[in-house]
Amino acid sequence: MLHKLAKQLIADGAPLMLPEVVAEYGGRRRLVRPAVTIRPEGAALEPGLDGLRPDILITVTGRPLLVEVAVTHFCGPEKLALIQERRLAAVEIDLSRVARDASPEMLEHAILRSAPRRWLWNRLAEATETAMRAEAARRACSREATLERLGNALIVAAASPTVEPADPRLTWAVEATRDAGLEGAVGIAVDGDGCFVVAREIWQSHLVGRHILGGIPLDERTAATSLYPVVRGRFAEPRPDGFEWQVITGRFPALRQPCDVVVDYLRLLGLMGLLVRDPGGLWRAGRAAVVARDRRQAATAHRIGHRKAPARNGGK
């Protein structure tokens, strides 16, 4: 009954609200035209269109428009595919939630204006989606070119010669590491370590001195924080040119974020027994670190004693 009423109202030429025309592509949504009210210039109920039978075929400003009325059954995939293949403007009105016992006025309002409705095919939406697809392709091409330039610049930077550290604490860390007999734990090549502007022995000695000899616990998430003064320019940026490091590394495997390089190095120290991970996920000095500390203290004491000896001899 509702289905028949809806078809008759529309076919009789009552003003009909058409939904807004919206184009969507790649997660973007663009309003092409707001909802409009039209008055059919002509109508035919369930006409045969070479294997396609719409509920109503109306004419709007000289153009045909198919109208489907859904009460218990919506437009099926085969019919929808045929509509889109033939590029026939078509709209579907959803009356499935309209109360059957509503007043005639409420039924009429729902059919002509308030019930949900959607475009099954619309030439303006298709044209706009085609334009959006082309825009997306241009953006992707531009983004690809930007990524290529960024990657090449980072590769050149990573291959640049290292420099001597300006911070005396880094020099102290190298000396302390040697005193502790941990020369074999530093100067180790780690994938992507060109992100550091100083030699491997220097930045690795800093971590050894601070967290193994110094005993300061270390969180992997902030592992590289203390090393940022010796990170090469753009490697210190969280998102160079707007790219996530995962994207950069995926395209250029030799390029890695400093924190990832440090994490790999910490795991190597863990294999050596110099660091262990506690239940909370923090890295702490391991048992092997105790021996290294004792060795360093002995070396320091010997050095101090050696410096004092000439002074005592000179006093006699």
Side-chain angles (χ1 to χ4, degrees):
M1 183 67 180
L2 180 57
H3 190 264
K4 184 178 180 180
L5 173 62
K7 291 194 295 183
Q8 195 59 57
L9 272 173
I10 296 169
D12 287 346
L16 176 67
M17 174 74 76
L18 298 182
E20 63 183 13
V21 179
V22 174
E24 296 184 13
Y25 182 77
R28 295 174 181 244
R29 189 174 187 273
R30 183 177 298 174
L31 177 64
V32 180
R33 189 186 69 191
V36 295
T37 300
I38 55 95
R39 184 181 291 274
E41 300 161 1
L45 294 175
E46 299 187 0
L49 302 176
D50 190 20
L52 180 64
R53 189 177 295 277
D55 287 332
I56 317 157
L57 172 62
I58 64 176
T59 303
V60 182
T61 62
R63 292 177 178 272
L65 173 64
L66 279 56
V67 180
E68 293 291 324
V69 178
V71 178
T72 57
H73 298 89
F74 290 83
C75 185
E78 292 183 1
K79 190 173 188 178
L80 179 60
L82 199 55
I83 289 171
Q84 294 176 348
E85 180 184 325
R86 295 184 183 179
R87 298 163 62 85
L88 298 171
V91 68
E92 183 178 60
I93 302 173
D94 178 6
L95 301 179
S96 61
R97 298 183 181 181
V98 175
R100 306 299 189 271
D101 57 354
S103 66
E105 292 78 12
M106 291 183 65
L107 290 175
E108 180 176 333
H109 187 267
I111 294 166
L112 298 176
R113 299 192 63 81
S114 62
R117 52 207 66 206
R118 66 179 181 122
W119 287 99
L120 301 178
W121 187 85
N122 182 282
R123 63 184 178 85
L124 299 178
E126 183 182 71
T128 304
E129 286 171 6
T130 299
M132 292 174 70
R133 191 176 297 110
E135 292 169 8
R138 287 193 294 271
R139 284 195 303 271
C141 183
S142 175
R143 183 174 171 80
E144 182 70 16
T146 301
L147 177 59
E148 186 73 19
R149 286 195 299 271
L150 172 65
N152 289 334
L154 291 174
I155 288 173
V156 170
S160 299
T162 57
V163 300
E164 290 299 317
D167 189 339
R169 289 174 297 181
L170 294 174
T171 304
W172 168 88
V174 173
E175 183 179 307
T177 300
R178 291 173 181 171
D179 284 348
L182 295 178
E183 297 95 327
V186 297
I188 300 172
V190 181
D191 288 345
D193 62 8
C195 59
F196 295 108
V197 74
V198 295
R200 293 165 182 151
E201 183 186 21
I202 294 172
W203 68 263
Q204 292 173 7
S205 291
H206 170 77
L207 294 174
V208 168
R210 181 180 174 85
H211 303 290
I212 295 176
L213 301 179
I216 300 174
L218 180 61
D219 186 341
E220 276 192 1
R221 292 170 297 182
T222 58
T225 302
S226 64
L227 287 171
Y228 273 113
V230 293
V231 171
R232 297 187 190 272
R234 306 209 65 184
F235 283 94
E237 297 177 23
R239 299 180 74 248
D241 284 348
F243 291 98
E244 298 291 343
W245 272 99
Q246 184 177 2
V247 173
I248 298 172
T249 302
R251 178 64 181 277
F252 302 94
L255 300 176
R256 303 181 68 204
Q257 194 172 14
C259 61
D260 293 335
V261 176
V262 171
V263 166
D264 280 358
Y265 177 62
L266 296 180
R267 290 172 182 171
L268 288 174
L269 294 179
L271 293 175
M272 297 176 190
L274 294 170
L275 286 177
V276 294
R277 198 194 299 264
D278 68 17
L282 294 178
W283 286 101
R284 297 181 184 276
R287 291 182 179 178
V290 176
V291 176
R293 288 174 190 166
D294 290 344
R295 191 181 295 120
R296 176 180 174 256
Q297 289 174 358
T300 302
H302 176 74
R303 187 181 299 113
I304 293 174
H306 182 71
R307 289 171 181 170
K308 287 181 177 180
R312 287 196 299 267
N313 293 335
K316 293 179 180 179

